[in-house]
Each structure stands twice: as C-alpha cells, then as structure tokens.
Amino acid sequence: MASTDISELEAPTTGDPKQVAKDLFSGACGGIAQVLIGQPFDIVKVRLQTSTSRTTALSCASNIYTQEGPLAFYKGTLTPLLGIGACVSIQFGGFHLARRYFERSNNSTAALSLPQYYAAGAFAGVTNSVLSGPIEHVRIRMQTQPHSQRIYAGPLDCIRTLVRHAGLPGLFRGQSANILRELQAYGVWFLTYEWLMARDVARRKLQSRKDVEAYRLAFYGGLAGEMLWISSYPFDVVKSKMQADGLGASRQAVLRTAAQAASAQRAAAAGNVGAASASPAGAPAQAGASKAEMAEKVLTQQRFPRMRDAFGQTWREEGMRGFFRGIGPTLVRAMPVSAATFAV
C-alpha cells in the first residue's frame, strides 16, 4: 500500500530559492516553538539519563522544583534557543534538498518511495549533527552542573572552559553517538510524517496535501515525534552520558606531564636528578582559582572514554532498561513539540 500511495500524491518540487528560504524560515519558527514547549521536559530527561541513582520522572521534577526553583526547568535554554532555529532550519532544508535530489533521480515522474524519504531524513539529521552536537553538549553541561556549586557562569563560560580543557574537539564530545541518533531519528521522523500524510490524502481522496486540515498536520507531526524518540532513544541516552561525563586529562596537564618527563630525562642525563623534582607544576594554586580547579577536577574524571564504553557499562549495570531511562517525559514532550514544529 505504501509503495503506491506516496508516489501519486505529491507533485515534485523545484529548487526555487524562494522555496528554500521558506523551508529555512519555517524550520526556524518551528525550532523556537520546540524549545519553549519542551525544555522543562528535557531537563528531567537529561537528569534521569545521567543519574547514577534510580528515581522516577515525577520525583526528579519535584526535586528540581523544591531545591532549585521553577526557573531551573529552563536551565541551559539560551544555547538551544539561539541554535535550534538554525538546527531545525538545517533539518528541513537538508530534507527538502535531498528530496529534490531523489525527485530528479526519479525523472520527476513520481514522488519519493518510503526508503527515499527515510534517506532524505537521515541526510538532514547527519547534516544537522554538526551544529546540534556542540549545542546539546553545552546545554547538558548547564543542566547537570551542581546547583550549589556552579562550574559555568553561562553558556559562553562553558564553551571557553571546554575549549581550554580539551581544545575544539572537546565541544564535540559524544559526536559519534549524536550522529547515529540524528541519522535514525530524522530518517524515521520525516518518513513517519510523510507516510501519514500520504495515507490521509489517499484515504479521503483529497486533491492535494494542502487540503489536509491544520489539526491533522499537528497530530501527524506529533505521532512522528513519538516514533522519532522510540526509534533513536538508546543513542540519545549514550550521547547524554558521554556529554555529561568528563573529558579526561586536560591539554595543559598532558603538556605539563610531557615537559616534566623531558626535564627529568635531561636532568638524569646531566647527573642532576634532584633538579627534575623541582617543578613549578607543584606550586600551590591561588585562592581565586578554586572555581577553575573545580572545573578541572570535574572535567578530568571520565567514565566513558569511547562510545562503546558507554554502551557497555550501561548494559552491564542496568541492562536494556538503562537505554530507556527518562523515556516517559520524553514521549510526553515529543507530541506537543513535534506537533508545533510541523504546524508552525
């Protein structure tokens, strides 16, 4: 049924620059709506994913409210709010770009098949991952930092701290899991939405997709959002664990260790081993450096050096359930957020 429905329902689109601009603008508006609606659910999801203790979503939300106040539900909002418009614009822009490519490869005689819709969505997700990875990394750091001892004063301070500790690659921590999540998530997202739309148009014998009512667009978008998260959630759990984890030894520490080793070798060669032990690295830190020291300590401690470590430890410690921690509030969030994205 699916193979015949979609091919007859949608006229091929062109690569008109106005259409591309419309796709990008629509994506930006949808992205802003997505953040404002979904952020309170998102922080509960991230706290559950990265917590080492077992708790419920309701208990987690209650603790956030009582210990940190209502505004805490919007921790880390600024980064995705500034970046989500670009992210969703890339998602929709990349999807329509890939869709037009497939239409041309189909000789413009038919719309896409279901596998082509999935491939177009996957392309959009992978393209978007370049931007979404650092944005989500900073957001998760802001959401999971201790409330009583803030490590980062804000998103910019978080970015500076990460880059100072591990260089530009530090911003892309967990990117391998992020790419896999984005590929699967947006392949399924666009596929589900397009299939539901095509099925509705065929079932009710409508002239075109423009005849589908707005409430149906929102409902189909919401269902697509549910499928997005169900299909990709294990990758999201692994990504969150890695992005809330430490980054390992800092570049400065590595350089200090290398310098000390070289100094020790030179001193030993000169017969003056005692000189090598007098290292400026052992000097006491200034009192004003306590915040930097705390950030250094948190970022140095690392449980998951690689993606497979995060997968392996999660499986050994929690089993399959560990890959779906926090999915409850995520699915509650997915319906209105995804509905708003497609309806705007």
Side-chain angles (χ1 to χ4, degrees), residues 8 12 25 30 44 50 55 71 77 85 97 115 124 126 148 150 160 183 187 193 213 237 247 261 287 293 337 344:
E8 299 172 355
F25 179 74
V44 175
T50 58
T55 184
L71 293 181
T77 299
L97 178 66
V126 172
S148 58
R150 296 178 61 186
R160 284 193 296 264
L183 184 153
Y193 179 77
E213 299 86 348
V237 170
L247 302 175
E293 289 175 349
V337 165
V344 171

Side-chain angles (χ1 to χ4, degrees), residues 72-137:
F73 287 103
Y74 282 89
K75 272 187 175 181
T77 299
L78 182 59
T79 307
L81 191 61
L82 294 176
I84 195 65
C87 284
V88 181
S89 296
I90 291 173
Q91 292 163 15
F92 278 86
F95 172 74
H96 290 299
L97 178 66
R99 188 182 70 173
R100 285 186 278 270
Y101 168 80
F102 283 124
E103 286 171 346
R104 289 193 297 271
S105 69
N106 293 345
N107 297 320
S108 298
T109 58
L112 278 60
S113 65
L114 291 179
Q116 287 176 326
Y117 271 120
Y118 177 86
F123 171 79
V126 172
T127 304
N128 174 64
S129 68
V130 178
L131 191 58
S132 69
I135 289 175
E136 294 207 9
H137 186 189

Side-chain angles (χ1 to χ4, degrees), residues 284-303:
Q286 296 180 358
S290 59
K291 182 179 177 181
E293 289 175 349
M294 185 167 63
E296 178 81 7
K297 180 180 179 181
V298 170
L299 291 176
T300 300
Q301 297 173 348
Q302 188 177 59
R303 293 182 61 204

